Amino acid sequence: APALRGEPKTENWYIADTLPGSGLIVGLKQGTSRAIFAKALVNMTLESCLHRFPIHVGDSILVQSGTVHAIDAGNLILEIQQNSDTTYRVYDWGRLGLDGKPRQMHVAESLASINWNEVEPQPLRAAKSSGVIARAQEFMIRRVVLAGEDRLLLRPREQPRLLNVVSGSVEVTSASGGLTLRRGDTALVPFAGDFVVAPHGESILLVTEQFV
C-alpha cells in the first residue's frame, strides 16, 4: 500500500438481510494464478476465477486487505472496516457509471495488491449464541445475543467500542441517562463511564473493539 500511495483496508461483512439466490464474491478459486487472472481480465471472463458462495441472514466473513471481493445485488450488509480511502477496481462486469461512461479501473494497482494465496475463504455461518465473529489486527467483532434478564456491562476506562444493533432493540443506560437503540442503529460507547445494555426481547448486537 505505501508503494502505491494507498491505504490497506481490512473489513468485515455481516449479512443483515438478503434475497434468495444472492451471494458474495470473496477471494479466488482454487488454481487461480496471477497469469490466469490477467488473461481472464483481457477475455472478460473473470467470473471463472472468483470464489462466489451463497449466504444467509446472520452470516459473516472477514475480508482481509488484498482480497478480491464484490457484493451481489439483493444484499443488505453491515460493513465494519479499517479506516481507509483506497479502493482498486479491477473488473466492473461491463457496467457504466451514472454519467454513461465506464468507471475508472485500477488494473495495474490491483494486480500488484492482490493476495494470490487468499483462496476460497469460508464465511462464518449464522448462530444463535454469543461469540467472536471477526478477529483481525485492526479490530475484533463480537456477536452478543441478549434476552430476558441478560445484561451486557461495558466498564469504564477499558476502551471505546462500537455497538451495532442487528436484531431487536436494546436500552443503553449510564449515570447520565438512557438511550434506546433499534435494529440498524449504531452507537459509539466512549472510553469513560459505566454502560449497561439491556434487551427488549431477544436482541443481537455486534460489538467492535480493540480497533486501531
Side-chain angles (χ1 to χ4, degrees):
L4 295 172
R5 298 184 179 180
E7 299 172 301
K9 184 172 68 174
T10 292
E11 57 197 74
N12 190 80
W13 295 343
Y14 179 91
I15 311 305
D17 206 354
T18 185
L19 295 177
S22 296
L24 297 176
I25 292 171
V26 182
L28 305 168
K29 282 187 177 178
Q30 191 73 41
T32 299
S33 65
R34 177 174 176 150
I36 291 171
F37 189 97
K39 183 177 180 180
L41 270 178
V42 173
N43 296 333
M44 296 293 289
T45 58
L46 194 64
E47 291 92 339
S48 64
C49 298
L50 303 177
H51 174 51
R52 182 185 182 277
F53 51 88
I55 41 83
H56 307 281
V57 173
D59 289 352
S60 178
I61 187 165
L62 181 64
V63 183
Q64 295 281 2
S65 181
T67 302
V68 177
H69 58 278
I71 300 170
D72 271 2
N75 285 317
L76 178 63
I77 288 180
L78 171 61
E79 179 179 298
I80 297 171
Q81 69 166 59
Q82 177 185 9
N83 185 33
S84 173
D85 290 326
T86 301
T87 296
Y88 294 142
R89 187 178 298 113
V90 71
Y91 190 67
D92 210 18
W93 284 269
R95 296 180 296 186
L96 301 178
L98 296 177
D99 59 0
K101 300 177 181 179
R103 297 196 293 177
Q104 182 182 1
M105 295 291 109
H106 311 89
V107 174
E109 295 91 339
S110 297
L111 292 177
S113 302
I114 290 171
N115 178 1
W116 302 103
N117 296 317
E118 192 64 70
V119 176
E120 300 188 8
Q122 296 302 310
L124 181 66
R125 295 303 183 182
K128 293 186 177 181
S129 58
S130 298
V132 174
I133 65 170
R135 191 187 301 273
Q137 181 179 349
E138 298 79 12
F139 54 77
M140 183 179 79
I141 305 174
R142 291 186 289 140
R143 176 181 51 234
V144 178
V145 181
L146 299 174
E149 299 301 316
D150 293 341
R151 298 293 183 267
L152 173 64
L153 176 61
L154 303 176
R155 298 184 181 278
R157 291 180 293 282
E158 288 183 338
Q159 57 180 310
R161 294 177 172 90
L162 291 175
L163 300 183
N164 299 96
V165 182
V166 296
S167 178
S169 63
V170 298
E171 190 75 15
V172 183
T173 57
S174 68
S176 58
L179 175 68
T180 298
L181 299 178
R182 298 175 175 83
R183 182 176 185 263
D185 286 345
T186 294
L188 174 62
V189 179
F191 176 79
D194 272 326
F195 295 86
V196 179
V197 183
H200 300 150
E202 183 170 295
S203 302
I204 301 177
L205 303 174
L206 298 188
V207 180
T208 304
E209 51 199 352
Q210 299 180 17
F211 47 83
V212 297

